[in-house]
C-alpha cells in the first residue's frame, strides 16, 4: 500500500497543492499529514478561515479523487479550532481526523497523537510534561492558552502543567491497535535518542516517553515532525528502534515529503521538491 507522508506545512498553499498533484500522479492510497497545518505568520486567531475555506476545498478534492487523507492539527494550530477542524473533516468520508484516534486503511491501523513535550515557546495549547520527572526548559515568556475570547495568560505554567496528564500517560490512554506489527503511529513529537529531534542550537528535545513506548510495543512504523531542521542538523531523517522504523522528514523552505510502501518488506524514500516560487 502506497502512502505519502508530509508534515509541518504551516499553511503554505503551494506545498499543499503539490502534495495533491503528486498523490494523484503516483496513485497513493493515502496521504498522512503530521500536523502544524495552519498558517502561523499572521494573527493565529484567524486560522479558522484557513480551515473553513482552503482546507474545506482541499479535503473536497481529496475526497473526490478517493484518496484517504489522515491528519490532525499541531502545536502551532490553536486548540480552540479543533471542533471546527473535526466538523470539516467529518463532511468527507475519505478525510480522517486522527488526533488521539485510530483509523484502519488497507489492513493497516493508523494511530494519531498531537500532544507535544513542553518547549520554550509561549503557546501551550498542546504542551505536556514528558514524564513525571520532566525538567522544563527555560521559557521565552509567560504561558498562553487560546480561548474564544483571546489569550488566557497562565501565571505559573510549571505548576499548571503538573496538573495535566504527561506524554507517557497520554500514550497509554491511546486506543491500542489489534495488531502492532501492522500499525503506524503518527505522532507530531519525535522520540528521543534517535537523531530525529535536534534543533539548530544542538539541543535534543525529543520525548523519552515516546522512545520507551515504541521500544516496548514495537509498532511497524512511526511518523513524526515538529523539529523542522533536525534532518538538516543530524543528516538523519529515519531511524530503527528494534523492529520499528521511525521517520521524521523535516520541513524547510523546499517541500519535503516521504513516499512509503507499507508492504511486508517496507520501502521508503525522502523527496525534496525545490521551491521555484
Ligand atoms: Zn511545525
Amino acid at each position: 500500500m502506497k502512502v505519502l507522508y508530509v508534515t509541518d506545512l504551516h499553511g503554505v498553499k503551494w506545498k499543499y497543492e503539490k502534495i495533491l498533484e503528486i498523490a494523484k500522479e503516483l496513485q497513493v492510497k493515502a496521504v498522512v499529514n503530521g500536523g502544524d497545518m495552519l498558517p502561523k505568520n499572521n494573527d493565529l486567531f484567524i486560522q479558522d478561515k484557513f480551515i473553513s475555506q482552503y482546507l474545506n476545498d482541499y479535503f473536497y478534492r481529496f475526497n473526490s479523487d478517493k484518496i484517504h487523507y489522515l491528519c490532525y492539527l499541531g502545536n502551532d494550530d490553536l486548540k480552540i479550532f479543533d471542533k471546527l477542524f473535526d466538523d470539516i473533516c467529518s463532511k468527507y468520508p475519505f478525510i480522517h481526523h486522527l488526533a488521539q484516534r485510530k483509523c484502519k486503511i488497507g489492513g493497516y491501523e493508523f494511530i494519531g497523537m498531537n500532544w507535544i513535550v513542553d518547549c520554550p515557546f509561549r503557546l501551550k495549547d498542546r504542551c505536556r510534561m514528558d514524564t513525571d520527572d520532566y525538567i522544563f526548559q527555560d521559557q521565552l515568556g509567560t504561558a498562553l492558552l487560546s480561548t474564544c475570547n483571546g489569550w488566557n495568560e497562565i501565571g505559573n505554567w510549571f505548576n499548571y502543567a503538573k496538573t495535566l496528564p504527561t506524554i507517557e500517560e497520554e500514550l497509554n490512554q491511546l486506543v491500542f491497535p489489534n495488531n502492532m506489527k501492522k500499525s503506524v503511529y503518527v505522532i507530531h513529537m519525535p522520540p528521543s535518542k534517535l537523531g530525529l529531534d535536534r534543533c539548530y542550537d544542538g539541543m535534543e528535545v525529543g520525548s523519552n516517553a515516546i522512545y520507551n513506548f515504541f521500544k516496548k510495543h514495537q509498532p511497524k512504523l512511526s511518523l513524526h515532525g515538529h523539529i523542522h531542521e533536525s534532518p538538516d542538523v543530524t543528516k538523519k531523517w529515519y531511524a530503527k528502534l528494534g523492529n520499528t522504523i521511525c521517520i521524521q522528514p523535516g520541513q524547510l523552505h523546499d517541500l519535503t515529503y516521504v513516499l512509503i510502501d507499507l508492504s511486508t518488506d517496507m520501502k521508503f524514500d525522502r523527496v525534496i521538491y525545490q521551491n521555484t516560487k
Side-chain angles (χ1 to χ4, degrees):
M1 179 169 105
K2 271 197 274 185
V3 172
L4 187 159
Y5 177 60
V6 69
T7 183
D8 295 272
L9 293 181
H10 290 280
V12 178
K13 288 181 185 171
W14 75 263
K15 291 187 177 182
Y16 274 101
E17 294 304 319
K18 196 73 207 169
I19 290 296
L20 174 56
E21 201 183 303
I22 297 160
K24 287 200 310 202
E25 197 180 299
L26 301 180
Q27 297 183 305
V28 303
K29 180 105 173 158
V31 168
V32 180
N33 186 317
D36 276 353
M37 296 181 67
L38 311 178
K40 70 163 183 175
N41 35 0
N42 295 314
D43 177 12
L44 296 185
F45 285 91
I46 58 165
Q47 286 181 329
D48 55 334
K49 283 201 187 72
F50 190 82
I51 299 173
S52 57
Q53 293 169 11
Y54 181 74
L55 284 182
N56 182 34
D57 173 68
Y58 190 69
F59 291 164
Y60 172 86
R61 289 183 282 152
F62 266 90
N63 196 64
S64 307
D65 283 310
K66 296 191 163 46
I67 301 169
H68 292 278
Y69 197 90
L70 292 71
C71 55
Y72 51 56
L73 299 179
N75 58 290
D76 281 326
D77 306 327
L78 295 192
K79 198 168 183 306
I80 48 167
F81 300 131
D82 281 6
K83 168 79 170 67
L84 171 69
F85 184 77
D86 194 57
D87 289 346
I88 298 281
C89 292
S90 303
K91 286 168 67 178
Y92 309 104
F94 278 82
I95 310 301
H96 312 276
H97 185 192
L98 204 60
Q100 284 69 250
R101 288 184 192 159
K102 182 170 95 168
C103 166
K104 196 168 182 180
I105 293 170
Y108 295 91
E109 293 171 272
F110 293 81
I111 295 159
M113 189 183 89
N114 61 354
W115 302 114
I116 63 153
V117 174
D118 188 48
C119 57
F121 303 107
R122 296 182 71 188
L123 174 56
K124 300 299 189 191
D125 278 2
R126 300 181 206 277
C127 290
R128 295 285 189 258
M129 291 168 66
D130 195 22
T131 51
D132 282 332
D133 57 356
Y134 179 69
I135 297 164
F136 290 91
Q137 293 183 58
D138 290 338
Q139 301 288 306
L140 294 171
T142 50
L144 300 173
L145 295 175
S146 68
T147 78
C148 297
N149 305 311
W151 294 117
N152 176 21
E153 208 170 332
I154 305 295
N156 190 331
W157 165 244
F158 298 161
N159 278 353
Y160 186 95
K162 282 175 189 148
T163 67
L164 303 170
T166 61
I167 292 289
E168 186 176 28
E169 288 164 342
E170 296 285 4
L171 282 166
N172 289 323
Q173 277 168 32
L174 288 178
V175 54
F176 211 73
N178 295 318
N179 183 0
M180 251 318 157
K181 289 195 177 77
K182 290 188 89 177
S183 74
V184 180
Y185 276 81
V186 186
I187 300 183
H188 189 65
M189 185 78 204
S192 60
K193 301 183 187 75
L194 299 173
L196 304 176
D197 63 338
R198 201 176 301 167
C199 306
Y200 280 130
D201 64 6
M203 285 265 287
E204 293 180 325
V205 296
S207 163
N208 291 322
I210 294 170
Y211 178 92
N212 290 333
F213 184 88
F214 291 159
K215 198 175 169 195
K216 180 174 173 193
H217 295 295
Q218 295 283 284
K220 181 182 180 73
L221 173 68
S222 73
L223 304 172
H224 309 275
H226 189 46
I227 309 299
H228 305 179
E229 67 271 32
S230 184
D232 250 43
V233 179
T234 62
K235 306 297 167 207
K236 272 183 94 171
W237 59 273
Y238 72 93
K240 251 192 129 180
L241 173 49
N243 292 319
T244 304
I245 301 282
C246 307
I247 293 179
Q248 205 285 72
Q251 191 66 251
L252 296 172
H253 182 66
D254 297 323
L255 170 63
T256 303
Y257 60 94
V258 178
L259 293 168
I260 303 161
D261 186 342
L262 278 172
S263 53
T264 351
D265 55 334
M266 190 167 50
K267 291 186 199 80
F268 47 95
D269 216 351
R270 179 173 179 250
V271 185
I272 298 177
Y273 178 86
Q274 290 224 313
N275 179 17
T276 50
K277 289 174 182 78

